[in-house]
Amino acid sequence: MQSRPFVEEHDKMFRRYEYWLKGIDNGVMDEPAVSVHVEGSREAVTGAQWPRKDVEHRPLYLRPRRALSPEPEPTGAEYAAPDGFYQAPLTVTDKVEILSWSTAPFTEPTEMIGQGAAHLFAEIDQPDTNFILRLWDEAPGGARQLITTAYLKASHRELDEERTTEGDPYHPHTRAVPVEPGRIEEYVLRVYPFGATFLPGHKLVVELSNDEPPADAHNALLPPDAFHLPVGRPVTHRIYRDAAHPSRIVLPFTRTVPSS
């Protein structure tokens, strides 16, 4: 059974086709230009444009003990040692290593609508790797809902500075630039557009890997060709999140928090 938001958007799409292709004046152009289904609150939010103007991009910093915080880490790398993981090729293992960080439980409904960015200060021991992020809404009982994702191949880290804005990085992807092993680089991932309200008691969980699990609750719903090309060599990753390397997730918080 299709969800109501899917059915409504499907209907609007056909009505737009009727208007533009058949010239049928069905009133679709009088409706809001943008309609977003918001996970969590399960509300439909409309607007005149995308992204919405009433969004404030704010950072959540990666902190020790796998925490996400609005405040950056005040100490240096000698006290806030980097998180890390070693990923063997999927030709020799089925296990995908994952790092995760989470917020404290939200105390009030917190809405985010738009796209974002992840700034990761990382060191790898190979010329290339993948950075794959998943953002989850985790309920008090442990149930999780995937909110959005972000992907970047390390060798494609170059940014178009003129087209990049806060919360919306732009990668030209015109060439591959190998990484110097052992060097700390800042990688900026584009977080795909999403709409979500985190309810009281829920947490935002951010997961990082360099490959996608062959099978899990999310991937079971995807077609077999939906995966990104896995890394074919073993890679050690170190994610720095100290005062000199403020790794963070920049997310689109709406300025007005809806009442519960």
Side-chain angles (χ1 to χ4, degrees):
M1 181 178 178
Q2 300 285 5
S3 66
R4 181 178 176 183
F6 177 87
V7 173
E8 291 176 348
E9 187 59 33
H10 196 257
D11 175 67
K12 179 176 284 190
M13 179 182 68
F14 277 102
R15 292 171 61 216
R16 286 172 178 158
Y17 285 160
E18 287 182 331
Y19 178 85
W20 289 107
L21 300 180
K22 298 182 179 180
I24 298 175
D25 188 3
N26 52 23
V28 70
M29 299 305 293
D30 299 324
E31 299 175 5
V34 176
S35 179
V36 180
H37 173 68
V38 182
E39 294 289 350
S41 65
R42 304 193 66 80
E43 295 177 342
V45 176
T46 59
Q49 65 178 35
W50 181 272
R52 291 168 44 137
K53 287 186 176 181
D54 58 344
V55 163
E56 179 183 3
H57 284 96
R58 302 205 305 262
L60 292 172
Y61 294 90
L62 278 57
R63 297 289 297 272
R65 300 180 180 86
R66 304 295 176 86
L68 281 175
S69 171
E71 302 298 327
E73 174 60 39
T75 63
E78 67 272 24
Y79 299 106
D83 292 320
F85 69 97
Y86 166 83
Q87 179 63 59
L90 296 186
T91 53
V92 300
T93 182
D94 291 331
K95 184 179 181 181
V96 171
E97 301 294 338
I98 295 174
L99 285 177
S100 67
W101 300 266
S102 68
T103 63
F106 289 93
T107 58
E108 59 185 13
T110 303
E111 185 183 75
M112 305 179 197
I113 299 177
Q115 64 270 351
H119 297 253
L120 301 178
F121 288 87
E123 172 193 347
I124 61 175
D125 64 349
Q126 297 290 340
D128 210 352
T129 190
N130 296 329
F131 291 104
I132 299 176
L133 281 183
R134 289 177 172 184
L135 277 64
W136 301 85
D137 179 343
E138 183 176 294
R144 303 200 307 173
Q145 170 70 44
L146 183 67
I147 297 301
T148 187
T149 55
Y151 303 88
L152 182 67
K153 195 168 185 63
S155 59
H156 280 249
R157 63 194 178 279
E158 283 189 313
L159 289 171
D160 184 328
E161 298 293 348
E162 292 186 357
R163 300 181 67 173
T164 292
T165 59
E166 179 72 359
D168 191 14
Y170 184 88
H171 301 87
H173 295 299
T174 55
R175 62 173 182 164
V177 180
V179 175
E180 179 183 334
R183 179 177 178 178
I184 301 174
E185 295 261 11
E186 181 180 8
Y187 301 90
V188 187
L189 288 66
R190 185 173 189 268
V191 175
Y192 289 151
F194 69 100
T197 295
F198 294 86
L199 302 176
H202 288 228
K203 298 178 182 180
L204 168 63
V205 177
V206 174
E207 291 185 342
L208 172 67
S209 64
N210 85 322
D211 282 319
E212 292 166 296
D216 65 9
H218 169 65
N219 288 344
L221 303 176
L222 298 176
D225 59 351
F227 295 90
H228 290 74
L229 188 66
V231 175
R233 67 183 74 187
V235 188
T236 298
H237 308 73
R238 292 185 176 89
I239 310 301
Y240 290 78
R241 43 140 217 41
D242 55 83
H245 306 98
S247 291
R248 61 201 182 274
I249 311 295
V250 179
L251 296 175
F253 290 78
T254 56
R255 296 181 185 273
T256 301
V257 177
S259 59
S260 57

